[in-house]
Amino acid sequence: MNTIKKFRILLIFVILFYSNSLAFTPEYEKEIYIGCYTNSKQYLGADKAKNYCLCTINKLSDKYSEAEMNLIFKKKPEEIIKATEFAAIHCENI
């Protein structure tokens, strides 16, 4: 499995883990960031993981409202990947 696909899957699991508090408040963003960073720094290194996670969170929050995110994360993993991959693709080269 290539590294980019691992990141996408990892991001989905992190977001699903926090799905009870889906909202793009600063607190929510911090929780998502901590989960994303903790898991992706082993693959990307500290600096790249920080940039990747911040970028991904920003892209998702730019496109989706809290209500839309709640609907997305109630779907099957394949549908979640499809709805969020734009952020991962954009941010993987940041």
Side-chain angles (χ1 to χ4, degrees):
M1 179 180 291
N2 69 32
T3 304
I4 294 168
K5 190 167 184 170
K6 288 179 187 176
F7 293 132
R8 289 182 192 149
I9 293 170
L10 176 63
L11 179 62
I12 289 168
F13 286 118
V14 168
I15 293 172
L16 285 174
F17 180 77
Y18 290 107
S19 65
N20 291 335
S21 63
L22 280 177
F24 284 88
T25 63
E27 295 81 14
Y28 173 74
E29 288 182 1
K30 183 177 179 179
E31 288 181 26
I32 296 297
Y33 174 80
I34 290 169
C36 177
Y37 179 79
T38 300
N39 290 303
S40 48
K41 74 177 178 179
Q42 64 184 327
Y43 300 105
L44 297 174
D47 290 337
K48 286 187 178 186
K50 176 182 176 183
N51 291 335
Y52 173 79
C53 294
L54 290 173
C55 177
T56 301
I57 291 166
N58 287 331
K59 283 297 189 185
L60 291 173
S61 66
D62 285 346
K63 184 170 182 174
Y64 297 117
S65 69
E66 178 181 345
E68 290 169 326
M69 291 302 294
N70 284 325
L71 291 174
I72 289 167
F73 290 111
K74 290 180 182 177
K75 296 180 178 188
K76 295 177 182 179
E78 298 82 20
E79 294 173 294
I80 296 170
I81 291 171
K82 186 176 180 180
T84 60
E85 73 180 343
F86 75 96
I89 290 169
H90 174 81
C91 297
E92 66 193 19
N93 296 317
I94 299 273

Coordinates of all heavy atoms in Angstrom, one line a residue:
M1 N 0.9 -1.2 0.0 CA 0.0 0.0 0.0 C 0.9 1.2 0.0 O 1.8 1.3 0.8 CB -0.9 0.0 1.2 CG -1.8 1.1 1.4 SD -2.9 1.1 2.8 CE -3.9 -0.2 2.5
N2 N 0.7 2.2 -0.9 CA 1.5 3.3 -1.0 C 1.3 4.3 0.2 O 0.3 4.2 0.9 CB 1.5 4.0 -2.3 CG 0.1 4.7 -2.5 OD1 -0.5 5.2 -1.6 ND2 -0.3 4.8 -3.8
T3 N 2.2 5.1 0.4 CA 2.2 6.0 1.6 C 1.0 7.0 1.5 O 0.3 7.2 2.6 CB 3.5 6.9 1.6 OG1 4.6 5.9 1.7 CG2 3.5 7.7 2.9
I4 N 0.7 7.5 0.4 CA -0.5 8.4 0.3 C -1.8 7.8 0.7 O -2.6 8.3 1.4 CB -0.5 9.0 -1.1 CG1 0.7 9.9 -1.4 CG2 -1.8 9.8 -1.3 CD1 0.9 10.3 -2.8
K5 N -1.9 6.5 0.2 CA -3.2 5.8 0.5 C -3.2 5.6 2.1 O -4.3 5.7 2.7 CB -3.2 4.5 -0.2 CG -4.6 3.8 -0.1 CD -4.7 2.7 -1.1 CE -6.1 2.1 -1.0 NZ -6.4 1.2 -2.1
K6 N -2.1 5.3 2.7 CA -2.1 5.1 4.1 C -2.5 6.4 4.8 O -3.2 6.3 5.8 CB -0.6 4.7 4.6 CG -0.2 3.3 4.2 CD 1.2 3.1 4.7 CE 1.7 1.7 4.2 NZ 3.1 1.5 4.6
F7 N -2.1 7.5 4.3 CA -2.4 8.8 5.0 C -3.9 9.0 4.9 O -4.6 9.5 5.8 CB -1.7 10.0 4.4 CG -0.2 10.0 4.6 CD1 0.6 10.2 3.6 CD2 0.3 9.7 5.9 CE1 2.0 10.2 3.8 CE2 1.6 9.7 6.1 CZ 2.5 9.9 5.1
R8 N -4.5 8.7 3.7 CA -5.9 8.9 3.5 C -6.7 8.0 4.5 O -7.7 8.5 5.1 CB -6.3 8.6 2.1 CG -5.8 9.7 1.1 CD -6.3 9.4 -0.3 NE -5.5 10.2 -1.2 CZ -5.2 9.9 -2.4 NH1 -5.6 8.7 -2.9 NH2 -4.6 10.7 -3.2
I9 N -6.3 6.8 4.5 CA -7.0 5.9 5.4 C -6.8 6.3 6.9 O -7.8 6.3 7.7 CB -6.5 4.4 5.2 CG1 -7.0 4.0 3.8 CG2 -7.0 3.5 6.3 CD1 -6.4 2.7 3.3
L10 N -5.7 6.7 7.2 CA -5.4 7.2 8.6 C -6.2 8.4 8.9 O -6.8 8.4 10.0 CB -3.9 7.5 8.7 CG -3.4 8.1 10.0 CD1 -3.6 7.1 11.1 CD2 -2.0 8.5 9.9
L11 N -6.3 9.3 8.0 CA -7.1 10.5 8.3 C -8.6 10.1 8.5 O -9.2 10.7 9.4 CB -7.0 11.5 7.1 CG -7.9 12.8 7.2 CD1 -7.4 13.6 8.4 CD2 -7.8 13.6 6.0
I12 N -9.1 9.2 7.7 CA -10.5 8.8 7.9 C -10.7 8.2 9.3 O -11.7 8.5 10.0 CB -10.9 7.8 6.8 CG1 -11.0 8.5 5.5 CG2 -12.2 7.1 7.1 CD1 -11.1 7.6 4.3
F13 N -9.8 7.3 9.7 CA -9.9 6.7 11.0 C -9.8 7.7 12.1 O -10.6 7.7 13.1 CB -8.9 5.6 11.2 CG -9.3 4.3 10.5 CD1 -8.4 3.9 9.5 CD2 -10.5 3.7 10.7 CE1 -8.8 2.7 8.8 CE2 -10.8 2.5 10.0 CZ -10.0 2.1 9.0
V14 N -9.0 8.7 12.0 CA -8.8 9.8 13.0 C -10.1 10.5 13.1 O -10.7 10.8 14.1 CB -7.7 10.7 12.7 CG1 -7.7 11.9 13.5 CG2 -6.3 9.9 12.8
I15 N -10.7 10.9 11.9 CA -11.9 11.7 11.9 C -13.1 10.9 12.4 O -13.9 11.3 13.2 CB -12.2 12.3 10.5 CG1 -11.1 13.3 10.2 CG2 -13.6 12.9 10.5 CD1 -11.1 13.8 8.8
L16 N -13.1 9.6 12.1 CA -14.2 8.7 12.6 C -14.1 8.6 14.1 O -15.1 8.5 14.8 CB -14.2 7.4 11.9 CG -14.7 7.3 10.5 CD1 -14.4 5.9 9.9 CD2 -16.1 7.7 10.4
F17 N -12.9 8.5 14.6 CA -12.7 8.4 16.0 C -13.3 9.6 16.8 O -13.8 9.4 17.9 CB -11.2 8.3 16.3 CG -10.9 8.1 17.8 CD1 -11.1 6.9 18.4 CD2 -10.4 9.2 18.5 CE1 -10.8 6.8 19.8 CE2 -10.1 9.1 19.9 CZ -10.3 7.9 20.5
Y18 N -13.2 10.7 16.2 CA -13.7 11.9 16.8 C -15.1 12.3 16.3 O -15.6 13.5 16.4 CB -12.8 13.1 16.6 CG -11.5 12.9 17.4 CD1 -10.3 12.6 16.7 CD2 -11.5 13.1 18.7 CE1 -9.1 12.4 17.5 CE2 -10.3 12.9 19.5 CZ -9.2 12.6 18.8 OH -8.0 12.4 19.5
S19 N -15.8 11.4 15.6 CA -17.1 11.8 15.0 C -18.2 12.2 15.9 O -19.1 12.9 15.5 CB -17.6 10.6 14.1 OG -17.9 9.5 15.0
N20 N -18.1 11.9 17.2 CA -19.1 12.4 18.1 C -19.0 13.9 18.3 O -19.9 14.5 18.8 CB -18.9 11.7 19.5 CG -19.3 10.2 19.4 OD1 -20.0 9.8 18.5 ND2 -18.7 9.4 20.3
S21 N -17.9 14.5 18.0 CA -17.7 15.9 18.2 C -17.5 16.7 16.9 O -16.7 17.7 16.9 CB -16.6 16.2 19.2 OG -15.4 15.7 18.7
L22 N -18.0 16.2 15.8 CA -17.7 16.9 14.5 C -18.2 18.3 14.5 O -19.4 18.6 14.6 CB -18.4 16.1 13.4 CG -17.6 14.9 12.9 CD1 -18.4 14.1 11.8 CD2 -16.3 15.2 12.4
A23 N -17.3 19.2 14.5 CA -17.5 20.6 14.4 C -16.2 21.3 14.1 O -15.2 20.8 14.6 CB -18.2 21.2 15.6
F24 N -16.2 22.3 13.3 CA -15.0 22.9 13.0 C -14.7 24.1 14.0 O -14.4 25.2 13.6 CB -15.0 23.4 11.5 CG -14.7 22.2 10.6 CD1 -15.8 21.4 10.2 CD2 -13.5 21.8 10.3 CE1 -15.6 20.3 9.4 CE2 -13.2 20.7 9.4 CZ -14.3 20.0 9.0
T25 N -14.9 23.8 15.2 CA -14.5 24.8 16.3 C -13.0 24.6 16.5 O -12.4 23.6 16.1 CB -15.2 24.5 17.6 OG1 -14.8 23.2 18.0 CG2 -16.7 24.5 17.4
P26 N -12.4 25.6 17.1 CA -10.9 25.4 17.5 C -10.6 24.1 18.3 O -9.6 23.5 18.0 CB -10.6 26.7 18.3 CG -11.6 27.7 17.8 CD -12.8 26.9 17.5
E27 N -11.5 23.8 19.2 CA -11.3 22.6 20.0 C -11.3 21.3 19.1 O -10.5 20.4 19.3 CB -12.3 22.5 21.1 CG -12.3 23.6 22.1 CD -12.9 24.9 21.7 OE1 -13.7 24.9 20.7 OE2 -12.7 25.9 22.3
Y28 N -12.3 21.3 18.2 CA -12.4 20.1 17.3 C -11.2 20.0 16.4 O -10.6 19.0 16.2 CB -13.7 20.2 16.4 CG -13.7 19.2 15.4 CD1 -14.0 17.9 15.7 CD2 -13.5 19.5 14.0 CE1 -14.1 16.9 14.7 CE2 -13.6 18.6 13.0 CZ -13.9 17.3 13.4 OH -14.0 16.3 12.4
E29 N -10.8 21.2 15.8 CA -9.6 21.2 14.9 C -8.4 20.7 15.7 O -7.6 20.0 15.1 CB -9.4 22.6 14.4 CG -10.4 22.9 13.3 CD -10.2 24.3 12.7 OE1 -9.2 25.0 13.1 OE2 -11.0 24.7 11.8
K30 N -8.3 21.1 17.0 CA -7.1 20.7 17.8 C -7.1 19.2 18.0 O -6.1 18.5 17.9 CB -7.1 21.4 19.1 CG -6.0 21.0 20.0 CD -6.0 21.8 21.3 CE -4.8 21.5 22.2 NZ -4.8 22.2 23.4
E31 N -8.3 18.6 18.3 CA -8.4 17.1 18.4 C -8.0 16.4 17.2 O -7.3 15.4 17.2 CB -9.8 16.8 18.9 CG -10.2 17.1 20.3 CD -11.6 16.7 20.6 OE1 -12.1 15.8 20.1 OE2 -12.2 17.4 21.5
I32 N -8.5 16.9 16.0 CA -8.2 16.2 14.8 C -6.7 16.4 14.5 O -6.1 15.4 14.0 CB -9.1 16.8 13.6 CG1 -10.5 16.6 13.8 CG2 -8.6 16.3 12.3 CD1 -10.9 15.1 13.8
Y33 N -6.2 17.5 14.7 CA -4.8 17.8 14.5 C -3.9 16.8 15.3 O -3.0 16.2 14.8 CB -4.4 19.2 14.8 CG -2.9 19.4 14.7 CD1 -2.3 19.6 13.4 CD2 -2.1 19.4 15.8 CE1 -1.0 19.7 13.3 CE2 -0.7 19.6 15.7 CZ -0.2 19.7 14.5 OH 1.2 19.9 14.4
I34 N -4.2 16.7 16.6 CA -3.5 15.8 17.5 C -3.5 14.4 17.0 O -2.4 13.7 16.9 CB -4.0 15.9 18.9 CG1 -3.6 17.3 19.5 CG2 -3.4 14.8 19.8 CD1 -4.3 17.6 20.8
G35 N -4.7 13.9 16.6 CA -4.7 12.5 16.1 C -4.0 12.4 14.7 O -3.3 11.4 14.5
C36 N -4.2 13.3 13.9 CA -3.5 13.3 12.5 C -2.0 13.3 12.7 O -1.3 12.5 12.2 CB -4.0 14.4 11.7 SG -3.2 14.6 10.1
Y37 N -1.6 14.3 13.5 CA -0.1 14.5 13.7 C 0.6 13.3 14.3 O 1.6 12.9 13.9 CB 0.1 15.8 14.5 CG 1.6 16.1 14.7 CD1 2.4 16.6 13.7 CD2 2.2 15.7 15.9 CE1 3.7 16.8 13.9 CE2 3.5 16.0 16.1 CZ 4.3 16.5 15.1 OH 5.6 16.7 15.4
T38 N -0.1 12.8 15.4 CA 0.5 11.7 16.1 C 0.7 10.5 15.2 O 1.8 9.9 15.3 CB -0.4 11.3 17.3 OG1 -0.6 12.4 18.2 CG2 0.1 10.1 18.0
N39 N -0.2 10.3 14.3 CA -0.1 9.1 13.4 C 0.7 9.4 12.2 O 1.4 8.5 11.7 CB -1.5 8.6 13.0 CG -2.2 8.0 14.2 OD1 -1.7 7.1 14.8 ND2 -3.4 8.6 14.6
S40 N 0.7 10.6 11.6 CA 1.4 10.8 10.4 C 2.8 11.2 10.5 O 3.6 11.1 9.6 CB 0.6 11.8 9.5 OG 0.3 12.9 10.2
K41 N 3.3 11.6 11.7 CA 4.7 12.1 11.9 C 5.6 10.9 11.7 O 6.7 11.1 11.3 CB 4.9 12.8 13.2 CG 4.9 11.9 14.4 CD 5.2 12.8 15.6 CE 5.2 11.9 16.9 NZ 5.5 12.7 18.1
Q42 N 5.2 9.7 12.0 CA 6.0 8.5 11.8 C 6.3 8.2 10.3 O 7.3 7.6 10.0 CB 5.4 7.3 12.5 CG 4.1 6.8 11.9 CD 3.5 5.7 12.7 OE1 4.3 4.8 13.3 NE2 2.2 5.6 12.8
Y43 N 5.4 8.7 9.5 CA 5.6 8.5 8.0 C 6.2 9.7 7.3 O 6.9 9.5 6.4 CB 4.2 8.1 7.4 CG 3.6 6.9 7.9 CD1 2.5 7.0 8.7 CD2 4.0 5.6 7.6 CE1 1.8 5.9 9.2 CE2 3.4 4.5 8.1 CZ 2.3 4.6 8.9 OH 1.7 3.5 9.4
L44 N 5.8 10.9 7.8 CA 6.2 12.1 7.1 C 7.3 12.8 7.8 O 7.9 13.7 7.2 CB 5.0 13.0 7.0 CG 3.9 12.6 6.2 CD1 2.7 13.5 6.3 CD2 4.3 12.4 4.8
G45 N 7.6 12.6 9.1 CA 8.4 13.4 9.9 C 7.6 14.6 10.5 O 6.5 14.9 10.0
A46 N 8.2 15.2 11.5 CA 7.4 16.2 12.3 C 7.0 17.4 11.4 O 5.8 17.8 11.5 CB 8.3 16.6 13.5
D47 N 7.9 18.0 10.7 CA 7.5 19.2 9.9 C 6.4 18.9 8.9 O 5.5 19.7 8.7 CB 8.7 19.8 9.3 CG 9.6 20.5 10.3 OD1 9.2 20.8 11.5 OD2 10.8 20.6 10.0
K48 N 6.7 17.9 8.1 CA 5.7 17.6 7.0 C 4.4 17.1 7.6 O 3.3 17.5 7.0 CB 6.3 16.5 6.1 CG 7.3 17.0 5.2 CD 7.7 16.0 4.2 CE 8.8 16.5 3.2 NZ 9.1 15.6 2.1
A49 N 4.4 16.4 8.7 CA 3.1 16.0 9.3 C 2.3 17.2 9.8 O 1.1 17.2 9.6 CB 3.4 15.0 10.5
K50 N 3.0 18.1 10.4 CA 2.3 19.4 10.9 C 1.7 20.1 9.7 O 0.5 20.4 9.7 CB 3.3 20.3 11.5 CG 2.8 21.6 12.0 CD 3.8 22.5 12.6 CE 3.2 23.8 12.9 NZ 4.3 24.8 13.5
N51 N 2.4 20.3 8.6 CA 1.9 21.0 7.5 C 0.7 20.2 6.8 O -0.3 20.8 6.4 CB 3.0 21.2 6.4 CG 4.0 22.2 6.9 OD1 3.7 23.1 7.8 ND2 5.2 22.2 6.4
Y52 N 0.9 18.9 6.7 CA -0.1 18.0 6.1 C -1.4 18.1 6.9 O -2.5 18.3 6.3 CB 0.4 16.6 6.0 CG -0.7 15.6 5.5 CD1 -1.0 15.5 4.2 CD2 -1.4 14.8 6.4 CE1 -2.0 14.7 3.7 CE2 -2.4 14.0 6.0 CZ -2.7 13.9 4.7 OH -3.7 13.0 4.3
C53 N -1.3 18.0 8.2 CA -2.5 17.9 9.0 C -3.3 19.3 9.0 O -4.5 19.3 8.9 CB -2.2 17.5 10.4 SG -1.6 15.8 10.5
L54 N -2.5 20.3 9.2 CA -3.1 21.7 9.2 C -3.8 22.0 7.9 O -4.9 22.5 7.8 CB -2.1 22.7 9.5 CG -1.5 22.8 10.9 CD1 -0.4 23.8 11.0 CD2 -2.7 23.1 11.9
C55 N -3.1 21.6 6.8 CA -3.7 21.8 5.5 C -5.0 21.0 5.3 O -6.0 21.5 4.8 CB -2.7 21.4 4.4 SG -3.3 21.6 2.7
T56 N -5.0 19.8 5.6 CA -6.1 18.9 5.4 C -7.3 19.4 6.3 O -8.4 19.5 5.7 CB -5.8 17.4 5.8 OG1 -4.7 17.0 5.0 CG2 -7.0 16.5 5.6
I57 N -7.1 19.8 7.5 CA -8.2 20.3 8.3 C -8.7 21.6 7.7 O -10.0 21.8 7.6 CB -7.7 20.6 9.7 CG1 -7.4 19.2 10.4 CG2 -8.7 21.4 10.5 CD1 -6.6 19.4 11.7
N58 N -7.9 22.5 7.2 CA -8.3 23.7 6.6 C -9.2 23.4 5.4 O -10.2 24.1 5.1 CB -7.2 24.6 6.3 CG -6.6 25.2 7.6 OD1 -7.3 25.4 8.6 ND2 -5.3 25.5 7.5
K59 N -8.7 22.5 4.5 CA -9.4 22.2 3.3 C -10.8 21.7 3.6 O -11.8 22.0 2.9 CB -8.6 21.2 2.4 CG -7.5 21.9 1.7 CD -8.0 22.9 0.7 CE -7.0 23.5 -0.2 NZ -7.6 24.6 -1.0
L60 N -10.9 20.7 4.5 CA -12.2 20.2 4.9 C -13.1 21.2 5.4 O -14.3 21.2 5.1 CB -12.0 19.0 5.9 CG -11.3 17.7 5.3 CD1 -11.0 16.8 6.4 CD2 -12.2 17.1 4.2
S61 N -12.6 22.1 6.3 CA -13.5 23.1 6.9 C -13.9 24.1 5.9 O -14.9 24.8 6.1 CB -12.8 23.7 8.1 OG -11.7 24.4 7.8
D62 N -13.0 24.4 4.9 CA -13.4 25.3 3.8 C -14.6 24.8 3.0 O -15.4 25.6 2.5 CB -12.2 25.6 2.9 CG -11.2 26.5 3.6 OD1 -11.5 27.1 4.6 OD2 -10.1 26.6 3.0
K63 N -14.6 23.5 2.8 CA -15.6 23.0 1.9 C -16.9 22.5 2.6 O -18.0 22.6 2.0 CB -15.0 21.8 1.1 CG -16.0 21.2 0.1 CD -15.3 20.2 -0.8 CE -16.3 19.7 -1.8 NZ -15.7 18.8 -2.8
Y64 N -16.8 22.0 3.8 CA -17.9 21.4 4.4 C -18.3 22.2 5.7 O -17.5 22.6 6.5 CB -17.6 20.0 4.8 CG -17.4 19.1 3.6 CD1 -16.2 18.5 3.4 CD2 -18.4 18.9 2.7 CE1 -15.9 17.6 2.4 CE2 -18.2 18.1 1.6 CZ -16.9 17.5 1.4 OH -16.7 16.6 0.3
S65 N -19.6 22.2 5.9 CA -20.2 22.7 7.2 C -20.2 21.6 8.2 O -20.0 20.4 7.8 CB -21.6 23.3 7.0 OG -22.5 22.2 6.7
E66 N -20.5 21.9 9.4 CA -20.6 20.8 10.4 C -21.6 19.8 10.1 O -21.4 18.6 10.2 CB -20.9 21.5 11.8 CG -21.0 20.5 12.9 CD -21.4 21.1 14.2 OE1 -21.2 22.3 14.4 OE2 -21.8 20.3 15.1
A67 N -22.8 20.3 9.6 CA -23.9 19.4 9.3 C -23.5 18.5 8.1 O -23.7 17.3 8.1 CB -25.1 20.2 8.9
E68 N -22.8 19.0 7.1 CA -22.3 18.2 6.0 C -21.3 17.2 6.4 O -21.3 16.0 6.0 CB -21.7 19.1 4.9 CG -22.8 20.0 4.2 CD -22.2 21.0 3.4 OE1 -21.1 21.6 3.7 OE2 -22.8 21.4 2.3
M69 N -20.4 17.6 7.3 CA -19.4 16.6 7.8 C -20.1 15.5 8.6 O -19.7 14.3 8.5 CB -18.4 17.3 8.7 CG -17.4 18.3 8.0 SD -16.5 17.5 6.7 CE -15.4 16.4 7.6
N70 N -21.0 15.8 9.4 CA -21.8 14.8 10.1 C -22.4 13.8 9.2 O -22.4 12.6 9.4 CB -22.8 15.4 11.0 CG -22.2 16.0 12.3 OD1 -21.2 15.5 12.8 ND2 -22.8 17.1 12.7
L71 N -23.0 14.3 8.1 CA -23.5 13.3 7.1 C -22.5 12.5 6.4 O -22.7 11.3 6.2 CB -24.4 14.1 6.1 CG -25.6 14.8 6.6 CD1 -26.2 15.7 5.5 CD2 -26.6 13.8 7.1
I72 N -21.4 13.1 6.0 CA -20.3 12.4 5.3 C -19.8 11.3 6.2 O -19.6 10.2 5.7 CB -19.2 13.4 4.9 CG1 -19.7 14.3 3.8 CG2 -17.9 12.6 4.5 CD1 -18.8 15.5 3.5
F73 N -19.5 11.6 7.4 CA -18.9 10.6 8.3 C -19.8 9.5 8.8 O -19.4 8.6 9.6 CB -18.1 11.2 9.4 CG -16.8 11.9 8.8 CD1 -16.8 13.3 8.8 CD2 -15.8 11.2 8.2 CE1 -15.7 13.9 8.2 CE2 -14.7 11.8 7.7 CZ -14.7 13.2 7.7
K74 N -21.0 9.5 8.4 CA -22.0 8.5 8.7 C -22.0 7.5 7.6 O -22.7 6.4 7.7 CB -23.4 9.0 9.0 CG -23.4 9.8 10.3 CD -24.8 10.3 10.5 CE -24.9 11.1 11.8 NZ -26.2 11.7 12.1
K75 N -21.3 7.8 6.5 CA -21.3 6.9 5.3 C -20.2 5.8 5.4 O -19.4 5.8 6.3 CB -21.1 7.8 4.1 CG -22.2 8.8 3.8 CD -21.9 9.6 2.6 CE -23.0 10.6 2.4 NZ -22.9 11.3 1.1
K76 N -20.2 5.0 4.4 CA -19.2 3.9 4.3 C -17.8 4.5 4.1 O -17.7 5.6 3.5 CB -19.6 3.0 3.1 CG -20.9 2.2 3.3 CD -21.1 1.4 2.0 CE -22.5 0.7 2.2 NZ -22.8 -0.1 1.0
P77 N -16.8 3.8 4.5 CA -15.4 4.3 4.4 C -15.1 4.7 2.9 O -14.4 5.7 2.7 CB -14.6 3.1 4.8 CG -15.4 2.4 5.8 CD -16.8 2.5 5.3
E78 N -15.6 4.0 1.9 CA -15.3 4.3 0.6 C -15.9 5.7 0.2 O -15.3 6.4 -0.6 CB -15.8 3.2 -0.4 CG -15.2 1.9 -0.2 CD -15.8 1.1 1.0 OE1 -17.0 1.4 1.4 OE2 -15.2 0.2 1.4
E79 N -17.1 5.9 0.7 CA -17.7 7.2 0.4 C -17.0 8.4 1.1 O -17.0 9.5 0.6 CB -19.2 7.1 0.8 CG -20.0 6.2 -0.1 CD -21.4 6.0 0.4 OE1 -21.6 5.4 1.5 OE2 -22.3 6.4 -0.4
I80 N -16.5 8.1 2.3 CA -15.8 9.1 3.1 C -14.5 9.4 2.3 O -14.2 10.6 2.2 CB -15.5 8.6 4.5 CG1 -16.8 8.4 5.3 CG2 -14.6 9.6 5.2 CD1 -16.6 7.6 6.6
I81 N -13.8 8.4 1.9 CA -12.6 8.7 1.1 C -12.9 9.5 -0.1 O -12.2 10.5 -0.4 CB -11.9 7.3 0.6 CG1 -11.4 6.6 1.9 CG2 -10.9 7.6 -0.4 CD1 -10.9 5.2 1.6
K82 N -13.9 9.2 -0.8 CA -14.3 10.0 -2.0 C -14.6 11.4 -1.7 O -14.2 12.4 -2.4 CB -15.5 9.3 -2.7 CG -15.9 10.0 -4.0 CD -17.0 9.2 -4.7 CE -17.3 9.9 -6.1 NZ -18.4 9.2 -6.8
A83 N -15.3 11.7 -0.6 CA -15.7 13.0 -0.2 C -14.5 13.9 0.4 O -14.6 15.1 0.3 CB -16.8 13.0 0.8
T84 N -13.5 13.2 0.9 CA -12.4 13.9 1.5 C -11.1 13.8 0.8 O -10.1 14.5 1.2 CB -12.2 13.4 3.0 OG1 -11.9 12.0 3.0 CG2 -13.5 13.6 3.8
E85 N -11.0 13.0 -0.2 CA -9.7 12.8 -0.9 C -9.1 14.1 -1.5 O -7.9 14.2 -1.6 CB -9.7 11.7 -1.9 CG -10.5 12.0 -3.1 CD -10.4 10.8 -4.1 OE1 -9.6 9.8 -3.9 OE2 -11.3 10.7 -5.0
F86 N -10.0 15.0 -1.9 CA -9.5 16.3 -2.5 C -8.5 17.0 -1.5 O -7.5 17.5 -1.9 CB -10.7 17.2 -2.8 CG -11.3 17.9 -1.6 CD1 -10.9 19.2 -1.2 CD2 -12.2 17.2 -0.8 CE1 -11.4 19.8 -0.1 CE2 -12.8 17.8 0.3 CZ -12.4 19.1 0.7
A87 N -8.9 16.9 -0.2 CA -8.0 17.5 0.8 C -6.7 16.8 0.9 O -5.6 17.4 0.9 CB -8.7 17.6 2.1
A88 N -6.7 15.5 1.0 CA -5.5 14.7 1.1 C -4.6 14.9 -0.1 O -3.4 15.1 0.0 CB -5.8 13.2 1.3
I89 N -5.2 14.9 -1.3 CA -4.5 15.0 -2.6 C -3.8 16.4 -2.6 O -2.6 16.6 -2.9 CB -5.4 14.8 -3.8 CG1 -5.7 13.3 -3.9 CG2 -4.7 15.3 -5.1 CD1 -6.8 13.0 -4.9
H90 N -4.6 17.5 -2.3 CA -4.1 18.8 -2.3 C -2.9 19.0 -1.3 O -1.9 19.6 -1.6 CB -5.2 19.8 -1.9 CG -4.7 21.2 -1.8 ND1 -4.4 22.0 -2.9 CD2 -4.3 21.9 -0.7 CE1 -4.0 23.2 -2.5 NE2 -3.9 23.2 -1.1
C91 N -3.1 18.4 -0.1 CA -2.1 18.6 1.0 C -0.9 17.7 1.0 O 0.0 18.0 1.7 CB -2.9 18.5 2.3 SG -4.2 19.8 2.5
E92 N -1.0 16.6 0.3 CA 0.1 15.7 0.3 C 1.4 16.2 -0.2 O 2.5 15.7 0.1 CB -0.2 14.4 -0.4 CG -0.4 14.5 -1.8 CD -1.1 13.3 -2.5 OE1 -1.7 12.5 -1.8 OE2 -0.9 13.1 -3.7
N93 N 1.4 17.3 -1.0 CA 2.6 17.9 -1.6 C 2.9 19.2 -0.9 O 3.8 19.9 -1.4 CB 2.4 18.1 -3.1 CG 2.3 16.7 -3.8 OD1 3.0 15.8 -3.5 ND2 1.4 16.6 -4.7
I94 N 2.3 19.5 0.2 CA 2.6 20.8 0.9 C 3.8 20.7 1.7 O 4.0 19.7 2.3 CB 1.3 21.2 1.7 CG1 0.1 21.4 0.8 CG2 1.6 22.4 2.6 CD1 -0.1 22.7 0.2

